[in-house]
Amino acid sequence: MKSYQVCWDGPVYRTSGIGIASREYALALHRKGVNVKIMTARGARFNSTLRRLALKPLARDRKKVLVFHGTPNSLPMIKARKQFKYILLNTVWETTKIPKQWFPQINRFDAVCVPSVQNKRAMKRSGVKKPVFIVPHGVNTLAYTPSNKKLYLGLPKGTFVFVSVFTFQHRKNPETLLKAYWQEFTSRDKVALVIKTSGFGKDTGAVIKARIQAYKKKLGYGRNAAPVRIITGTTGSRMIKGMYTAANAFVLPSRGEGVGLPYLESLSSGVPVIATRWGGHMDFLNARNSFLVGYRLAPPARSMNRSISFNFRSLFAQQGQLWAEPSLASLKKQMRFAYEHPALCRAKGIQGRRDMRRWTWSRAASSMRVAIENTLRTKRG
């Protein structure tokens, strides 16, 4: 079925996780032979293909399918319906129940695409009536590879390096990560935790570092605490790739993930993952490639008052929402076990690299094409 054009409306020029996913979806569909038109050329960069797709005109002789990559309530639906008969939503969520402000708009789309089993369950249990398709994310295994040059960290030879990459927000759970690390390790251990993070609004790098230092002081840790290195601000992709390969293990005890791109990137780089045993990432994490942390489901609002990072309370503190609260004891146990078994870390990393060879953007595009063409077949007239 090639009688359609996909009009992709998403943040394809952002450097964030959603930006990476948006442009990779669009480019992968294009490589599959799908007629793709990116709906904005504003800020077009990254590569010439994206720019060509942005400058391409709307097709006159094809059915036009709008794929909106974002939150459902941010699309002006009345205006969109005047131009497009077929409209699909591509979105993601991190708790057991989607926000109430997504209704009734989400049921005005013709179909909803989400990246994981957990997301599909959340959509259906929340009251989404339209078809929900699982369209997984992917990872570029040529870009994220064990052969990438390790980032120089200036650490003593033989140091076991934990790396974590996340935005500085409550959902990512920096409090439990730091607390577990400082409780389990001291300066006598040959270990380091390297965190790459960025904040929101007024949360500059200096603010984030100050909050972490204040939290450390509150917990009562001083000179004998195991070292933590914080990297903030804008960094190039080469630096991020080098951080992964410099690590013995990637650790992120997130409370909720729709997917978790850093997990995919770490495994593709041949580095095992320490992660909460709940969320969208459980579609590809398992005991063979990861160290999984126990948890209990709890209302997100319950731990927000103890947060040192931005909490998005209006989205994540609604009635009926649940997500994972990782076990501090389990996280400490898994981090210690990884530290004491570097050979096992290497073996899990090798397995993770093998596993990621099938988690391609080409596979993601195939799933997206199935969702689009199924919608075209079912919505006739």
PDB file of all heavy atoms in Angstrom, residues 93 98-102 301 304 310-319 321:
ATOM      1  N   TRP A  93       3.970   7.240  27.855  1.00  0.00           N
ATOM      2  CA  TRP A  93       3.606   7.606  29.224  1.00  0.00           C
ATOM      3  C   TRP A  93       4.320   6.693  30.207  1.00  0.00           C
ATOM      4  O   TRP A  93       4.732   5.583  29.867  1.00  0.00           O
ATOM      5  CB  TRP A  93       2.091   7.593  29.427  1.00  0.00           C
ATOM      6  CG  TRP A  93       1.706   8.209  30.746  1.00  0.00           C
ATOM      7  CD1 TRP A  93       1.090   7.610  31.806  1.00  0.00           C
ATOM      8  CD2 TRP A  93       1.981   9.547  31.151  1.00  0.00           C
ATOM      9  NE1 TRP A  93       0.955   8.494  32.842  1.00  0.00           N
ATOM     10  CE2 TRP A  93       1.509   9.702  32.466  1.00  0.00           C
ATOM     11  CE3 TRP A  93       2.599  10.624  30.535  1.00  0.00           C
ATOM     12  CZ2 TRP A  93       1.619  10.891  33.181  1.00  0.00           C
ATOM     13  CZ3 TRP A  93       2.719  11.814  31.238  1.00  0.00           C
ATOM     14  CH2 TRP A  93       2.215  11.939  32.554  1.00  0.00           C
ATOM     15  N   ILE A  98      -2.884   7.356  32.324  1.00  0.00           N
ATOM     16  CA  ILE A  98      -2.501   8.578  31.624  1.00  0.00           C
ATOM     17  C   ILE A  98      -3.200   9.791  32.247  1.00  0.00           C
ATOM     18  O   ILE A  98      -4.222   9.650  32.919  1.00  0.00           O
ATOM     19  CB  ILE A  98      -2.802   8.478  30.115  1.00  0.00           C
ATOM     20  CG1 ILE A  98      -4.303   8.366  29.843  1.00  0.00           C
ATOM     21  CG2 ILE A  98      -2.053   7.302  29.499  1.00  0.00           C
ATOM     22  CD1 ILE A  98      -4.659   8.343  28.353  1.00  0.00           C
ATOM     23  N   PRO A  99      -2.686  11.002  32.038  1.00  0.00           N
ATOM     24  CA  PRO A  99      -3.265  12.195  32.669  1.00  0.00           C
ATOM     25  C   PRO A  99      -4.695  12.464  32.204  1.00  0.00           C
ATOM     26  O   PRO A  99      -5.045  12.243  31.048  1.00  0.00           O
ATOM     27  CB  PRO A  99      -2.335  13.325  32.209  1.00  0.00           C
ATOM     28  CG  PRO A  99      -1.062  12.657  31.816  1.00  0.00           C
ATOM     29  CD  PRO A  99      -1.464  11.324  31.280  1.00  0.00           C
ATOM     30  N   LYS A 100      -5.496  12.965  33.119  1.00  0.00           N
ATOM     31  CA  LYS A 100      -6.902  13.244  32.805  1.00  0.00           C
ATOM     32  C   LYS A 100      -7.038  14.315  31.732  1.00  0.00           C
ATOM     33  O   LYS A 100      -8.015  14.314  30.965  1.00  0.00           O
ATOM     34  CB  LYS A 100      -7.659  13.660  34.073  1.00  0.00           C
ATOM     35  CG  LYS A 100      -7.118  14.926  34.748  1.00  0.00           C
ATOM     36  CD  LYS A 100      -7.852  15.200  36.059  1.00  0.00           C
ATOM     37  CE  LYS A 100      -7.282  16.451  36.742  1.00  0.00           C
ATOM     38  NZ  LYS A 100      -7.955  16.708  38.048  1.00  0.00           N
ATOM     39  N   GLN A 101      -6.031  15.226  31.634  1.00  0.00           N
ATOM     40  CA  GLN A 101      -6.122  16.291  30.638  1.00  0.00           C
ATOM     41  C   GLN A 101      -5.901  15.783  29.212  1.00  0.00           C
ATOM     42  O   GLN A 101      -6.069  16.529  28.259  1.00  0.00           O
ATOM     43  CB  GLN A 101      -5.155  17.441  30.961  1.00  0.00           C
ATOM     44  CG  GLN A 101      -3.704  17.059  31.174  1.00  0.00           C
ATOM     45  CD  GLN A 101      -3.372  16.889  32.637  1.00  0.00           C
ATOM     46  OE1 GLN A 101      -4.091  16.216  33.367  1.00  0.00           O
ATOM     47  NE2 GLN A 101      -2.276  17.505  33.072  1.00  0.00           N
ATOM     48  N   TRP A 102      -5.534  14.528  29.064  1.00  0.00           N
ATOM     49  CA  TRP A 102      -5.407  13.940  27.731  1.00  0.00           C
ATOM     50  C   TRP A 102      -6.767  13.576  27.144  1.00  0.00           C
ATOM     51  O   TRP A 102      -6.877  13.290  25.956  1.00  0.00           O
ATOM     52  CB  TRP A 102      -4.513  12.715  27.775  1.00  0.00           C
ATOM     53  CG  TRP A 102      -3.043  13.040  27.886  1.00  0.00           C
ATOM     54  CD1 TRP A 102      -2.491  14.226  28.269  1.00  0.00           C
ATOM     55  CD2 TRP A 102      -1.957  12.153  27.616  1.00  0.00           C
ATOM     56  NE1 TRP A 102      -1.121  14.142  28.253  1.00  0.00           N
ATOM     57  CE2 TRP A 102      -0.759  12.882  27.865  1.00  0.00           C
ATOM     58  CE3 TRP A 102      -1.864  10.829  27.208  1.00  0.00           C
ATOM     59  CZ2 TRP A 102       0.508  12.312  27.697  1.00  0.00           C
ATOM     60  CZ3 TRP A 102      -0.599  10.269  27.047  1.00  0.00           C
ATOM     61  CH2 TRP A 102       0.568  11.002  27.285  1.00  0.00           C
ATOM     62  N   ALA A 301       2.806  10.718  43.960  1.00  0.00           N
ATOM     63  CA  ALA A 301       2.830  11.859  44.878  1.00  0.00           C
ATOM     64  C   ALA A 301       3.463  11.510  46.217  1.00  0.00           C
ATOM     65  O   ALA A 301       3.959  12.394  46.926  1.00  0.00           O
ATOM     66  CB  ALA A 301       1.407  12.371  45.100  1.00  0.00           C
ATOM     67  N   MET A 304       7.123  12.613  46.410  1.00  0.00           N
ATOM     68  CA  MET A 304       7.502  13.911  45.847  1.00  0.00           C
ATOM     69  C   MET A 304       8.027  14.893  46.883  1.00  0.00           C
ATOM     70  O   MET A 304       8.888  15.720  46.577  1.00  0.00           O
ATOM     71  CB  MET A 304       6.312  14.526  45.102  1.00  0.00           C
ATOM     72  CG  MET A 304       6.058  13.896  43.755  1.00  0.00           C
ATOM     73  SD  MET A 304       4.708  14.706  42.857  1.00  0.00           S
ATOM     74  CE  MET A 304       4.698  13.722  41.345  1.00  0.00           C
ATOM     75  N   PHE A 310      13.028  18.232  39.969  1.00  0.00           N
ATOM     76  CA  PHE A 310      11.729  18.684  39.454  1.00  0.00           C
ATOM     77  C   PHE A 310      10.745  17.512  39.415  1.00  0.00           C
ATOM     78  O   PHE A 310      11.090  16.416  38.991  1.00  0.00           O
ATOM     79  CB  PHE A 310      11.910  19.255  38.044  1.00  0.00           C
ATOM     80  CG  PHE A 310      10.794  20.157  37.610  1.00  0.00           C
ATOM     81  CD1 PHE A 310      10.828  21.512  37.889  1.00  0.00           C
ATOM     82  CD2 PHE A 310       9.703  19.657  36.923  1.00  0.00           C
ATOM     83  CE1 PHE A 310       9.797  22.361  37.483  1.00  0.00           C
ATOM     84  CE2 PHE A 310       8.668  20.489  36.513  1.00  0.00           C
ATOM     85  CZ  PHE A 310       8.720  21.845  36.794  1.00  0.00           C
ATOM     86  N   ASN A 311       9.467  17.752  39.835  1.00  0.00           N
ATOM     87  CA  ASN A 311       8.563  16.607  40.007  1.00  0.00           C
ATOM     88  C   ASN A 311       7.375  16.540  39.051  1.00  0.00           C
ATOM     89  O   ASN A 311       6.676  15.531  39.022  1.00  0.00           O
ATOM     90  CB  ASN A 311       8.054  16.526  41.450  1.00  0.00           C
ATOM     91  CG  ASN A 311       7.322  17.773  41.896  1.00  0.00           C
ATOM     92  OD1 ASN A 311       6.553  18.373  41.152  1.00  0.00           O
ATOM     93  ND2 ASN A 311       7.567  18.183  43.150  1.00  0.00           N
ATOM     94  N   PHE A 312       7.072  17.580  38.283  1.00  0.00           N
ATOM     95  CA  PHE A 312       5.928  17.560  37.371  1.00  0.00           C
ATOM     96  C   PHE A 312       4.653  17.082  38.087  1.00  0.00           C
ATOM     97  O   PHE A 312       3.939  16.186  37.624  1.00  0.00           O
ATOM     98  CB  PHE A 312       6.210  16.651  36.163  1.00  0.00           C
ATOM     99  CG  PHE A 312       7.272  17.180  35.245  1.00  0.00           C
ATOM    100  CD1 PHE A 312       8.572  16.708  35.326  1.00  0.00           C
ATOM    101  CD2 PHE A 312       6.988  18.169  34.307  1.00  0.00           C
ATOM    102  CE1 PHE A 312       9.569  17.196  34.490  1.00  0.00           C
ATOM    103  CE2 PHE A 312       7.973  18.662  33.460  1.00  0.00           C
ATOM    104  CZ  PHE A 312       9.274  18.169  33.554  1.00  0.00           C
ATOM    105  N   ARG A 313       4.391  17.687  39.217  1.00  0.00           N
ATOM    106  CA  ARG A 313       3.277  17.264  40.069  1.00  0.00           C
ATOM    107  C   ARG A 313       1.930  17.273  39.344  1.00  0.00           C
ATOM    108  O   ARG A 313       1.091  16.388  39.558  1.00  0.00           O
ATOM    109  CB  ARG A 313       3.206  18.158  41.310  1.00  0.00           C
ATOM    110  CG  ARG A 313       2.172  17.736  42.338  1.00  0.00           C
ATOM    111  CD  ARG A 313       2.226  18.638  43.559  1.00  0.00           C
ATOM    112  NE  ARG A 313       3.441  18.411  44.332  1.00  0.00           N
ATOM    113  CZ  ARG A 313       3.545  17.505  45.294  1.00  0.00           C
ATOM    114  NH1 ARG A 313       2.515  16.731  45.587  1.00  0.00           N
ATOM    115  NH2 ARG A 313       4.677  17.371  45.963  1.00  0.00           N
ATOM    116  N   SER A 314       1.700  18.247  38.467  1.00  0.00           N
ATOM    117  CA  SER A 314       0.400  18.334  37.793  1.00  0.00           C
ATOM    118  C   SER A 314       0.123  17.144  36.888  1.00  0.00           C
ATOM    119  O   SER A 314      -1.031  16.834  36.595  1.00  0.00           O
ATOM    120  CB  SER A 314       0.323  19.632  36.977  1.00  0.00           C
ATOM    121  OG  SER A 314       1.283  19.626  35.930  1.00  0.00           O
ATOM    122  N   LEU A 315       1.166  16.467  36.450  1.00  0.00           N
ATOM    123  CA  LEU A 315       1.009  15.300  35.581  1.00  0.00           C
ATOM    124  C   LEU A 315       1.062  13.989  36.343  1.00  0.00           C
ATOM    125  O   LEU A 315       0.345  13.039  36.025  1.00  0.00           O
ATOM    126  CB  LEU A 315       2.106  15.295  34.505  1.00  0.00           C
ATOM    127  CG  LEU A 315       2.045  16.386  33.435  1.00  0.00           C
ATOM    128  CD1 LEU A 315       3.307  16.358  32.595  1.00  0.00           C
ATOM    129  CD2 LEU A 315       0.811  16.202  32.560  1.00  0.00           C
ATOM    130  N   PHE A 316       1.918  13.928  37.361  1.00  0.00           N
ATOM    131  CA  PHE A 316       2.203  12.653  38.014  1.00  0.00           C
ATOM    132  C   PHE A 316       1.607  12.503  39.413  1.00  0.00           C
ATOM    133  O   PHE A 316       1.951  11.556  40.117  1.00  0.00           O
ATOM    134  CB  PHE A 316       3.717  12.444  38.098  1.00  0.00           C
ATOM    135  CG  PHE A 316       4.387  12.253  36.771  1.00  0.00           C
ATOM    136  CD1 PHE A 316       5.389  13.113  36.357  1.00  0.00           C
ATOM    137  CD2 PHE A 316       4.030  11.212  35.934  1.00  0.00           C
ATOM    138  CE1 PHE A 316       6.025  12.940  35.139  1.00  0.00           C
ATOM    139  CE2 PHE A 316       4.653  11.026  34.714  1.00  0.00           C
ATOM    140  CZ  PHE A 316       5.647  11.892  34.313  1.00  0.00           C
ATOM    141  N   ALA A 317       0.725  13.405  39.815  1.00  0.00           N
ATOM    142  CA  ALA A 317       0.135  13.293  41.154  1.00  0.00           C
ATOM    143  C   ALA A 317      -1.382  13.178  41.068  1.00  0.00           C
ATOM    144  O   ALA A 317      -2.100  13.658  41.938  1.00  0.00           O
ATOM    145  CB  ALA A 317       0.542  14.478  42.018  1.00  0.00           C
ATOM    146  N   GLN A 318      -1.866  12.530  40.024  1.00  0.00           N
ATOM    147  CA  GLN A 318      -3.303  12.414  39.834  1.00  0.00           C
ATOM    148  C   GLN A 318      -3.845  11.109  40.443  1.00  0.00           C
ATOM    149  O   GLN A 318      -3.128  10.127  40.582  1.00  0.00           O
ATOM    150  CB  GLN A 318      -3.627  12.481  38.338  1.00  0.00           C
ATOM    151  CG  GLN A 318      -3.257  13.816  37.713  1.00  0.00           C
ATOM    152  CD  GLN A 318      -3.651  13.921  36.254  1.00  0.00           C
ATOM    153  OE1 GLN A 318      -4.428  13.109  35.743  1.00  0.00           O
ATOM    154  NE2 GLN A 318      -3.130  14.924  35.568  1.00  0.00           N
ATOM    155  N   GLN A 319      -5.119  11.142  40.777  1.00  0.00           N
ATOM    156  CA  GLN A 319      -5.757   9.997  41.425  1.00  0.00           C
ATOM    157  C   GLN A 319      -5.677   8.760  40.532  1.00  0.00           C
ATOM    158  O   GLN A 319      -5.951   8.813  39.344  1.00  0.00           O
ATOM    159  CB  GLN A 319      -7.217  10.316  41.738  1.00  0.00           C
ATOM    160  CG  GLN A 319      -7.919   9.239  42.554  1.00  0.00           C
ATOM    161  CD  GLN A 319      -9.331   9.652  42.939  1.00  0.00           C
ATOM    162  OE1 GLN A 319      -9.798  10.715  42.566  1.00  0.00           O
ATOM    163  NE2 GLN A 319     -10.012   8.818  43.696  1.00  0.00           N
ATOM    164  N   GLN A 321      -3.037   7.011  39.704  1.00  0.00           N
ATOM    165  CA  GLN A 321      -1.747   6.743  39.069  1.00  0.00           C
ATOM    166  C   GLN A 321      -0.822   5.966  40.014  1.00  0.00           C
ATOM    167  O   GLN A 321      -0.762   6.243  41.207  1.00  0.00           O
ATOM    168  CB  GLN A 321      -1.057   8.049  38.653  1.00  0.00           C
ATOM    169  CG  GLN A 321      -1.725   8.744  37.483  1.00  0.00           C
ATOM    170  CD  GLN A 321      -1.010  10.037  37.105  1.00  0.00           C
ATOM    171  OE1 GLN A 321      -0.476  10.735  37.964  1.00  0.00           O
ATOM    172  NE2 GLN A 321      -1.012  10.365  35.828  1.00  0.00           N
TER     173      GLN A 321
END
